[in-house]
Amino acid sequence: QVQLVESGGGLVQPGGSLRLSCVASGVIFSIYTMGWYRQAPGKERELVAQITPTGSTYYADSAKDRFTISRDNAKKTVYLQMMSLKPEDTAVYYCHANTPGGYYWGQGTRVTVSS
């Protein structure tokens, strides 16, 4: 059974940084495209960043130049390094796995950017 477990969220001041982690189990992690989504209160879930098995990346405009997605296949972990955080980055961040058997989601980790 596929399981994704996120960690690293929390409260941070504007301009601060956080690194989110997502550990996968029950999957052949190295062959899957992994992504980070977020959902702010009252808004739809949106894609933030994505990384393919070969390391190609995609970023939403809101994440470009501030966020970096990376993966460690040996640890079955995908990371999202977030810098220069803004209040509008406040959301629950979800890890996502795109596998031949379907899409899988983590339970989410909350990020709050506030002074």
Side-chain angles (χ1 to χ4, degrees):
Q1 184 174 353
V2 178
Q3 188 172 18
L4 304 173
V5 180
E6 303 100 331
S7 62
L11 173 64
V12 63
Q13 292 187 343
S17 300
L18 280 176
R19 188 176 82 155
L20 307 183
S21 300
C22 170
V23 180
S25 60
V27 293
I28 308 174
F29 179 83
S30 62
I31 67 172
Y32 299 143
T33 292
M34 301 296 297
W36 286 97
Y37 286 70
R38 69 185 181 187
Q39 187 166 18
K43 295 188 177 181
E44 293 186 355
R45 193 172 296 188
E46 62 176 1
L47 176 63
V48 176
Q50 202 169 55
I51 186 166
T52 69
T54 58
S56 297
T57 57
Y58 164 84
Y59 296 94
D61 287 343
S62 59
K64 286 178 182 177
D65 301 322
R66 298 189 301 125
F67 294 2
T68 302
I69 189 170
S70 60
R71 64 192 297 160
D72 185 332
N73 289 336
K75 295 182 178 180
K76 294 188 175 182
T77 301
V78 61
Y79 304 97
L80 185 68
Q81 177 69 50
M82 304 186 294
M83 303 178 65
S84 302
L85 284 162
K86 306 174 182 179
E88 50 264 43
D89 294 318
T90 295
V92 178
Y93 285 71
Y94 296 91
C95 181
H96 176 266
N98 183 355
T99 82
Y103 298 148
Y104 296 91
W105 297 94
Q107 83 288 351
T109 185
R110 184 174 300 276
V111 172
T112 302
V113 185
S114 175
S115 55

